Amino acid sequence: MERKKITIVGAGNIGATLALLLARREVADVYLIDIDEGIAKGKALDIMEASPILGFNSRVIGTGNYEDTANSDLVVITAGFPRKPGMSRDDLLFKNFQVVKSVTEQIKKYSPEAFIIVVTNPLDAMTYTALKVSGFPSHRVMGMAGALDAARFAYFLSEKTGISVENIRAFVIGSHGDDMVPLRRYTTVSGIPVKYFLSDEDLDKLVDRTRFAGGEIVSLLKRGSAFYAPAASILDMAVSILWNKRKIISCSVYLEGDAGEYYGAEGLCVGVPVVLGKNGVEKVIKLELSDEEWAQWRKSVESVKNLVDKLPL
């Protein structure tokens, strides 16, 4: 059976790690594209030289030419300026807007039927940018947000409780930023609400750590930002779409119609739980939230709106 084709824009740490993960799982043939063609080709070659040891037959091809990426089934946008210590996601807005706009124009030209997963920060505003510039149906454009944030929350819970990460299902909605909303009410350990395992005080601390988890890694690394967990999160989304797994994953998606009205975020891309399958975003799940959660959600939506309103679109 002919393998699918995935293009990863940006051969930095996230892009290269994702290329290896995708190839190792034999999800698709991968085209790694970067403005520095040598970096893309070098990392692709390095990955392929690992294939006899790791035992995969997917191909990873490095390129600097968008024509090579034509007719991709899925395109992941990781290109952009990284966060530096003391820099918020918001500081990146205008620099990365130009990057995502330019990349999306190339995707529209060469892969007009592709799904797009946006990773570039500030995530929700960049997802909105990709959607508007591409003109693609909203079910084909999404941002990697809650998948990563939930994974971080789950790990922190596992670390604190000593219970396997395999038993923990965490949920985070809202903006992919400091105003995200970790939902302790929907977070469970083997189906049991997490409140049975930790005190409110401990949960409050872990919720706060989740909100600032990206910044924690930036401050530790000194240069660059997280890439292993983001790449794993994108892998989860890509597999759910291309293998039609129909997993429920929290992603930044365009809210419109009933979902937009329910969440009070009509016309914005914000993180909510969705069903991801062969048609992309197949369903937006409407969660029942407490008054406190709705207040946090509205704050999160407002932070996204403030960024989107600044975009020159």
Side-chain angles (χ1 to χ4, degrees):
M1 184 175 67
E2 185 177 346
R3 277 187 293 268
K4 298 287 189 178
K5 181 176 182 178
I6 295 179
T7 289
I8 301 170
V9 183
N13 286 333
I14 292 179
T17 303
L18 176 60
L20 175 60
L21 293 176
L22 288 166
R24 183 68 182 88
R25 289 281 296 274
E26 297 186 319
V27 177
D29 286 330
V30 179
Y31 283 74
L32 189 59
I33 185 169
D34 199 280
I35 54 172
D36 188 329
E37 187 173 20
I39 288 179
K41 287 188 172 182
K43 290 187 177 182
L45 179 59
D46 193 13
I47 290 170
M48 289 310 300
E49 288 171 355
S51 64
I53 300 168
L54 297 178
F56 60 82
N57 289 287
S58 290
R59 295 182 304 143
V60 180
I61 300 99
T63 184
N65 189 342
Y66 275 96
E67 288 184 21
D68 294 335
T69 74
N71 301 313
S72 293
D73 296 286
L74 172 67
V75 180
V76 181
I77 304 176
T78 74
F81 294 90
R83 291 172 72 190
K84 296 179 180 178
M87 179 186 285
S88 72
R89 289 184 175 92
D90 298 3
D91 295 332
L92 298 175
L93 181 67
F94 295 110
K95 281 188 173 183
N96 283 344
F97 168 78
Q98 295 298 334
V99 174
V100 172
K101 179 176 182 291
S102 174
V103 168
T104 304
E105 287 169 348
Q106 297 299 316
I107 296 170
K108 182 179 181 180
K109 180 178 180 180
Y110 290 105
S111 298
E113 301 301 320
F115 296 99
I116 298 177
I117 297 177
V118 180
V119 187
T120 308
N121 279 316
L123 190 285
D124 304 282
M126 294 303 99
T127 303
Y128 181 88
T129 298
L131 176 69
K132 293 302 180 181
V133 172
S134 69
F136 288 4
S138 58
H139 66 87
R140 286 206 273 128
V141 181
M142 66 215 76
M144 184 280 297
L148 171 60
D149 300 325
R152 287 169 166 167
F153 192 22
Y155 171 68
F156 298 152
L157 291 167
S158 173
E159 185 181 44
K160 184 67 177 178
T161 61
I163 295 171
S164 170
V165 291
E166 296 176 65
N167 290 144
I168 298 173
R169 294 291 178 268
F171 244 108
V172 181
I173 62 172
S175 66
H176 184 56
D178 299 344
D179 291 324
M180 69 180 70
V181 187
L183 294 175
R184 64 188 75 188
R185 209 157 53 94
Y186 288 99
T187 297
T188 60
V189 181
S190 282
I192 304 167
V194 71
K195 68 179 182 179
Y196 289 100
F197 297 86
L198 293 171
S199 66
D200 287 342
E201 182 181 357
D202 284 338
L203 278 170
D204 286 342
K205 290 178 181 177
L206 297 184
V207 164
D208 283 342
R209 189 181 180 192
T210 301
R211 287 190 173 119
F212 300 101
E216 181 180 357
I217 290 177
V218 168
S219 66
L220 289 168
L221 291 176
K222 302 294 191 294
R223 296 177 181 176
S225 54
F227 53 94
Y228 293 123
S233 302
I234 304 160
L235 173 71
D236 199 28
M237 294 172 64
V239 167
S240 191
I241 294 169
L242 296 183
W243 292 357
N244 194 30
K245 285 202 166 196
R246 304 192 80 244
K247 295 182 72 172
I248 295 175
I249 301 175
S250 188
C251 308
S252 183
V253 299
Y254 189 68
L255 294 172
E256 56 189 334
D258 289 343
E261 183 178 350
Y262 180 80
Y263 280 112
E266 182 77 29
L268 293 173
C269 292
V270 193
V272 291
V274 302
V275 177
L276 282 185
K278 65 181 180 180
N279 298 312
V281 179
E282 297 190 353
K283 181 179 181 180
V284 174
I285 295 171
K286 302 174 190 173
L287 295 175
E288 292 183 7
L289 303 178
S290 66
D291 289 344
E292 181 183 359
E293 289 164 344
W294 276 121
Q296 293 173 1
W297 165 261
R298 284 190 288 270
K299 181 182 178 184
S300 198
V301 169
E302 189 62 28
S303 70
V304 173
K305 186 176 186 301
N306 288 338
L307 289 178
V308 169
D309 286 346
K310 298 173 187 175
L311 293 173
L313 283 169

